[in-house]
């Protein structure tokens, strides 16, 4: 049991911190395809640097370490009850060490359990096979891309695409729509796992299983292989780009499976995964639990970044908190900001709280960062932020405008953009939305020079607490300004037109 638990801990750690070899190769191609001098190109350079930093430091690639999902094959006779216990202990230890963020929340009380162990966490799928090894595959899929999963029931009407019928052309339309609807909120560039058929439950499960396939394999079903190739041939013509900034590359993989279905049902289930595509596996000795060999992992990963630091143009705008309205009104969509000073993290729980209560700190002129960091204490008992990328901002759309108005906030940092209500508040009250690079947890942790305080840690848990972070030169792009302009609206509109053109091709 001790050796098995250690092997599982190593699998969890490596999956959270070390990108799979096939994903590295795919992202290397993406880096070469995009123009380095546009917004998407700069974002990709940050992504490459972040992947290298995470591997070298053995720290999480993305601060959202996702829902641990295990797919396990065992020989007949292996004690799956004991193995499940070993997985739970390894998950709890990985969380204690900061390799996983405490992500498991009681859905009734809202309480974070703190160790990632609870009903439904982690997810474990066992299946027996006739081989003499144990195979364990682990998928860590974060909440941002999980929220962009989508399921279609054919026939249906799709925006920009019209009717999708119960045939492969209808399936193709659904897949294109799934890519388009994700925009930058799922941390594009992304990868899709797709299931044609099944029921509502089995369809999603089989779609996620497609993400276990190597990106460079060929589907054994020639019909599905042709459909995968067609998607990959046209998806990047949508122009969504990295983080939804616009660009040449939006998708780097599409894997499709099929299940039988009921006559009355025709589901197309799409599991969207982000660029931080964390999936590794091991083959274990069934007697000792020791690792015999790794799956998907390179022994000596090649660096993705071409240099140690992101090249700056000299046109970046340096700002220090607190911000004045004059500072903010000067900013325009497309400006790149380097932000220094104290900022405050705030996610779902804090936004809901601030609608009904006063803030524990004066937020006038301040910056709210949509971020749920990984935070651990050092040997002296001081908090250290070890991963700190942005979360998807759209979840805060019901709250954000009121909070901007009530507290005089000048800037929001997040990813994926926000809606009309927030855009109007930015214009009315003199504030701005700054899009950080989703998933770049190590890149942004490097910007945090000190943790000056934390509120609501006991009440909300680590990800949802209000962390007071002193940062230096935190890089983000203005994508919604105080003049009513939104890059997200522009890219969504233009990519919608492209979607219509792409779907018309045969």
């Amino acid at each position: 049991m001790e050796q098995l638990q250690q092997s599982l801990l190593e699998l969890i750690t490596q999956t959270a911190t070390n990108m799979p070899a096939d994903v590295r190769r795919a992202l290397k191609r993406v880096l070469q395809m995009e123009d380095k001098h546009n917004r998407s190109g700069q974002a990709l350079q940050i992504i490459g640097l972040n992947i290298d930093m995470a591997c070298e430091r053995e720290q999480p690639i993305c601060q959202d370490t996702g829902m641990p999902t295990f797919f396990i094959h065992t020989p007949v006779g292996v004690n799956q009850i004991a193995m499940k216990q070993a997985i739970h202990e390894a998950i709890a230890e990985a969380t204690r060490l900061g390799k996983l963020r405490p992500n498991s929340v009681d859905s009734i009380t809202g309480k974070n359990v703190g160790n990632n162990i609870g009903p439904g966490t982690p997810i474990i799928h066992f299946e027996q096979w006739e081989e003499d090894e144990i195979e364990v595959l682990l998928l860590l899929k974060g909440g941002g891309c999980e929220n962009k999963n989508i399921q279609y029931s054919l026939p249906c009407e799709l925006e920009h695409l019209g009717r999708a019928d119960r045939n492969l052309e209808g399936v193709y339309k659904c897949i294109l729509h799934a890519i388009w609807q994700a925009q930058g909120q799922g941390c594009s560039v992304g990868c899709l796992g797709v299931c044609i058929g099944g029921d509502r439950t089995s369809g999603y499960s089989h779609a996620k299983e497609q993400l276990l396939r190597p990106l460079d394999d060929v589907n054994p079903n020639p019909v599905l292989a042709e459909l995968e190739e067609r998607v990959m041939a046209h998806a990047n013509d949508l122009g969504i780009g990295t983080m939804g900034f616009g660009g040449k590359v939006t998708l780097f993989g599409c894997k499709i499976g099929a299940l039988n279905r009921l006559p009355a049902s025709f589901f197309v289930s799409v599991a969207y995964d982000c660029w931080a595509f964390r999936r590794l596996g091991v083959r274990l000795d069934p007697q000792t639990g020791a690792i015999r060999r790794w799956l998907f992992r390179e022994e000596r990963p090649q660096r993705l970044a071409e240099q140690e630091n992101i090249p700056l143009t000299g046109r970046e705008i340096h700002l220090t908190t607190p911000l004045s309205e004059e500072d903010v009104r000067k900013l325009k969509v497309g400006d790149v900001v380097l932000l220094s000073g104290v900022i405050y993290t705030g996610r779902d729980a804090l936004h809901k709280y601030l609608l009904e209560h006063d803030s524990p700190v004066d937020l006038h002129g301040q910056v709210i960062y949509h971020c749920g960091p990984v935070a651990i204490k050092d040997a002296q008992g001081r908090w250290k932020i070890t991963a700190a990328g942005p979360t998807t901002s759209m979840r805060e759309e019901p709250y954000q405008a009121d909070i901007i108005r009530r507290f005089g906030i000048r800037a929001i940092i997040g990813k994926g953009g926000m809606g009309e209500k927030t855009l109007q508040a930015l214009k009315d009250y003199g504030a701005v939305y700054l899009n950080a690079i989703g998933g770049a947890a190590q890149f942004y942790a490097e910007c945090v020079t000190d943790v000056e305080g934390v509120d609501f840690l006991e009440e909300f848990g680590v990800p949802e607490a209000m962390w007071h972070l002193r940062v230096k030169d935190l890089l983000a792009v203005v994508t919604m300004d105080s003049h009513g302009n939104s890059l997200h609206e522009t890219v969504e509109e233009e990519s919608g037109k492209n979607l219509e053109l792409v779907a018309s091709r045969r």
Side-chain angles (χ1 to χ4, degrees), residues 303-427:
R303 286 183 59 84
L304 282 175
E306 296 179 355
Q307 51 198 54
E308 295 293 332
N309 298 299
I310 300 302
L312 300 177
T313 64
R315 298 189 298 273
E316 292 80 14
I317 298 170
H318 292 261
L319 293 175
T320 302
T321 63
L323 306 178
S324 68
E325 183 173 352
E326 183 182 9
D327 292 332
V328 167
R329 294 286 186 188
K330 291 177 182 177
L331 298 174
K332 302 288 192 301
V333 163
D335 288 341
V336 178
V337 169
L338 294 173
L339 186 68
S340 299
V342 176
I343 63 175
Y344 301 92
T345 68
R347 289 174 30 121
D348 308 65
L350 181 70
H351 281 73
K352 176 63 167 60
Y353 178 91
L354 291 178
L355 278 185
E356 303 165 354
H357 303 86
D358 289 336
S359 170
V361 297
D362 183 2
L363 290 174
H364 187 79
Q366 298 295 349
V367 176
I368 292 288
Y369 185 17
H370 294 163
C371 171
V374 177
I376 60 174
K377 286 188 175 181
D378 62 18
Q380 288 72 45
R382 297 173 300 196
W383 285 107
K384 179 175 175 58
I385 301 299
T386 60
T391 195
T392 307
S393 295
M394 191 58 81
R395 299 197 311 273
E396 316 312 338
E397 178 65 14
Y399 314 116
Q400 200 68 77
D402 292 331
I403 289 172
I404 290 170
R405 173 188 57 79
R406 184 178 179 194
F407 294 101
I409 290 166
R410 291 291 174 211
I412 303 297
I413 307 173
K415 73 174 175 75
M418 303 192 75
E420 284 292 334
K421 187 177 176 183
T422 298
L423 184 62
Q424 187 62 48
L426 300 179
K427 184 177 179 180

Side-chain angles (χ1 to χ4, degrees), residues 38-316:
N38 64 23
R39 289 183 294 264
S40 284
Q42 186 178 52
L44 282 168
Q45 291 179 71
I46 291 173
I47 286 169
L49 180 59
N50 182 80
I51 291 170
D52 294 339
M53 294 167 70
C55 184
E56 292 161 5
R57 299 173 177 183
E58 209 171 76
Q59 294 292 345
I61 294 168
C62 175
Q63 78 290 336
D64 185 352
T65 53
M67 174 66 82
T69 305
F70 293 86
F71 299 85
I72 303 172
H73 286 95
T74 63
V76 175
V78 168
N79 187 335
Q80 294 181 356
I81 296 173
M83 193 167 184
K84 182 177 180 180
Q85 180 61 33
I87 290 172
H88 282 196
E89 291 174 2
I91 287 285
E93 180 64 6
T95 307
R96 187 188 69 81
L97 295 172
K99 308 305 179 183
L100 295 178
R101 186 178 72 181
N103 267 354
S104 184
V105 176
D106 185 309
S107 296
I108 306 303
T109 66
K111 183 75 172 176
N112 192 310
V113 299
N115 64 356
N116 277 314
I117 304 299
T121 314
I123 297 169
I124 306 173
H125 300 283
F126 280 111
E127 188 172 343
Q128 287 187 333
W129 65 357
E130 294 182 347
E131 297 194 31
D132 64 354
E133 293 179 310
I134 298 172
E135 180 182 79
V136 184
L137 299 174
L138 174 59
L139 180 68
L140 297 177
K141 189 169 180 294
C145 60
E146 184 71 7
N147 287 344
K148 301 314 294 184
N149 293 351
I150 192 167
Q151 191 173 68
Y152 303 89
S153 179
L154 300 184
C156 65
E157 289 288 327
L158 301 173
E159 189 174 0
H160 295 292
L161 297 174
R163 191 180 70 248
D165 293 315
R166 290 186 166 192
N167 53 31
L168 287 182
E169 191 62 29
V171 172
Y172 175 65
K173 286 183 177 182
C174 289
I175 295 172
L176 288 181
H177 185 270
I179 300 165
W180 176 75
Q181 61 89 35
Q183 291 292 313
Q185 295 177 35
C187 284
S188 56
V189 294
C191 180
L192 301 184
V194 181
C195 176
I196 305 169
D199 66 8
R200 287 200 181 273
T201 302
S202 65
Y204 264 136
S205 181
H206 195 63
K208 284 191 177 181
E209 287 180 29
Q210 300 311 299
L211 298 173
L212 304 178
R213 289 171 48 194
L215 290 178
D216 47 10
D217 76 352
V218 177
N219 198 312
N221 183 318
V223 174
L224 297 183
E226 183 179 353
L227 183 57
E228 290 174 357
E229 290 178 7
R230 185 182 179 194
V231 171
M232 291 305 301
H234 300 305
N236 291 329
D237 294 336
L238 297 180
I240 296 169
T242 308
M243 294 296 122
F245 289 167
K248 298 177 182 178
V249 189
T250 300
L251 198 71
F252 66 83
C254 178
K255 300 299 177 183
I256 306 173
L259 297 176
N260 282 15
R261 59 180 177 83
L262 291 169
S265 302
F266 195 124
F267 298 113
V268 179
S269 307
V270 182
Y272 184 98
D273 211 342
C274 56
W275 67 260
F277 185 168
R278 292 153 291 172
R279 171 257 287 137
L280 290 178
V282 288
R283 290 290 186 96
L284 303 176
D285 186 309
Q287 304 303 320
T288 67
I291 297 174
R292 286 182 175 174
R293 62 188 176 94
W294 284 87
L295 306 175
F296 301 113
R297 192 184 80 156
E298 287 180 308
E299 283 298 320
R300 295 179 179 83
Q302 298 295 309
R303 286 183 59 84
L304 282 175
E306 296 179 355
Q307 51 198 54
E308 295 293 332
N309 298 299
I310 300 302
L312 300 177
T313 64
R315 298 189 298 273
E316 292 80 14

